[in-house]
Amino acid sequence: MIMVVALALAGAVQGGVSSAQAEDGGRQLLFYNHAYGVLDRETADAIEHSDYLRDFANFQVRTTTGAGGQTWTGRYLMGRETYLELFGIGDVPGKDGTLGATGMGVSAEREGDLATVTARLRELGISDPVEFRQTRDFGDGVPVPWFDAVFTTEEYDLFGAWGMEYRPEYFADPRSKTEPAAHPGDVGRERYLPDAYRDHLMRDVTGIRLAVTARDLANTLPLLKAGGFTVRSLPGGGAVAKGGGTTLRFDAVPLDQVGLRQVEMSLNRPVSYRHEERIGHSALVVGPGSRAVWTFGEQDQQDQQDQPTAR
């Protein structure tokens, strides 16, 4: 999902930022679902046409229609429970299509857990969490409720995070091609994503490193704490959040230095070799062992100046 689309359609109100400490160590309610990054056009096009990525992962290029008819075109690497969404400049409406823009969804595995997170946000000082229901149109003009979402605020620079919970109507719709529930109240990531990852090397995203502004980071930490992540501050104003097998690292930087920096992935099987694939202005290193690391260079400031003005 794209931040500016959801917030524009929600008619959202702004919530406050809390300085509350980490959660009380209860059951984790939210888990890393996916993250997105907007890359320079050369890198985005190289990703879109990479034969290696089609072999490495369950890879798709897809245009999605969400609530209000808003559309976005992404390049997707999908694992067992998690995925990565990559855009080029302008592939996303509004300022979310700006070079260096990023976003992240953390989702519930059990029906009703998002409501608990929303209540926790209020306890953490977010007086007016922004709630939104996203829909999906499969191309036949008949949208289906897709997931519910919550944000801490409608004000952000170029990064936003949201909590989400898939809707039972989406799972019940045969167009979604999702799996049956594994247990009562199952709204989990594994049920949502296809099993085609088994035919490729990539299994899941295990780590994300994002460069974001201090304001965007401050707006994000209450959501992660409410969802049960363990959050630790870093020197220089950044933070690391861990939980559910995924490590999220945020570097606090000026606005002109924001962007997706690195993605770590687990593999379905260990490999004995080290392979480096250059893809535009990025490098994907696979192996040796059972992990891969994809590193993205800092965004070019001249490209930032040359891109269309964000709406």
Side-chain angles (χ1 to χ4, degrees):
M1 184 181 61
I2 310 306
M3 281 284 291
V4 75
V5 174
L7 293 173
L9 293 169
V13 295
Q14 180 177 356
V17 176
S18 169
S19 60
Q21 299 301 309
E23 271 297 296
D24 59 9
R27 178 173 66 85
Q28 186 161 347
L29 302 178
L30 296 178
F31 300 79
Y32 171 86
N33 184 287
H34 71 284
Y36 73 80
V38 178
L39 310 172
D40 63 272
R41 178 53 57 185
E42 180 182 344
T43 301
D45 288 348
I47 290 169
E48 181 169 342
H49 299 291
S50 171
D51 291 333
Y52 182 82
L53 287 178
R54 284 171 169 78
D55 182 61
F56 172 73
N58 178 19
F59 180 85
Q60 294 182 7
V61 179
R62 184 179 73 231
T63 298
T64 302
T65 301
Q70 294 279 3
T71 63
W72 56 92
T73 301
R75 300 139 191 85
Y76 298 84
L77 283 77
M78 295 179 290
R80 180 177 182 271
E81 295 183 318
T82 60
Y83 67 98
L84 182 65
E85 188 175 21
L86 301 170
F87 301 104
I89 299 169
D91 287 339
V92 183
K95 72 177 182 181
D96 288 343
T98 302
L99 182 68
T102 54
M104 181 180 67
V106 285
S107 66
E109 294 282 290
R110 302 185 190 181
E111 188 174 5
D113 278 356
L114 187 65
T116 302
V117 169
T118 304
R120 286 186 177 183
L121 284 174
R122 293 188 172 95
E123 295 171 1
L124 288 168
I126 307 300
S127 58
D128 295 300
V130 179
E131 300 181 67
F132 171 74
R133 178 165 295 174
Q134 180 64 285
T135 64
R136 182 172 180 182
D137 186 331
F138 288 95
D140 54 10
V142 183
V144 60
W146 190 359
F147 55 82
D148 292 331
V150 64
F151 309 83
T152 63
T153 178
E154 66 173 343
E155 300 294 332
Y156 65 102
D157 295 320
L158 285 178
F159 169 77
W162 59 93
M164 54 188 288
E165 181 175 304
Y166 292 116
R167 295 290 307 172
E169 299 96 322
Y170 185 84
F171 287 117
D173 194 309
R175 297 174 298 173
S176 71
K177 299 179 182 179
T178 52
E179 301 172 10
H183 53 78
D186 179 12
V187 291
R189 300 163 297 165
E190 196 277 332
R191 183 184 178 193
Y192 171 78
L193 288 173
D195 287 336
Y197 75 94
R198 295 173 177 171
D199 301 324
H200 303 271
L201 199 53
M202 174 190 161
R203 182 174 181 86
D204 266 317
V205 174
T206 58
I208 288 282
R209 184 170 184 172
L210 301 165
V212 303
T213 64
R215 178 174 81 150
D216 286 346
L217 178 57
N219 288 336
T220 299
L221 295 183
L223 176 65
L224 298 178
K225 292 173 182 178
F229 283 85
T230 299
V231 178
R232 175 172 59 89
S233 297
L234 295 174
V240 172
K242 293 186 177 182
T246 308
T247 298
L248 314 173
R249 173 166 177 156
F250 303 94
D251 300 323
V253 301
L255 183 60
D256 62 357
Q257 296 177 24
V258 301
L260 176 63
R261 291 291 173 264
Q262 194 170 79
V263 181
E264 296 185 11
M265 294 162 278
S266 61
L267 305 180
N268 280 315
R269 61 184 184 276
V271 296
S272 60
Y273 55 82
R274 180 189 187 275
H275 174 79
E276 179 172 344
E277 186 77 9
R278 300 293 303 186
I279 310 173
H281 300 138
S282 73
L284 173 60
V285 176
V286 179
S290 298
R291 67 191 291 263
V293 179
W294 198 353
T295 303
F296 300 84
E298 291 191 15
Q299 305 302 325
D300 187 282
Q301 293 188 25
Q302 185 62 44
D303 287 344
Q304 186 94 346
Q305 295 168 3
D306 291 343
Q307 66 182 308
T309 302
R311 290 174 290 174

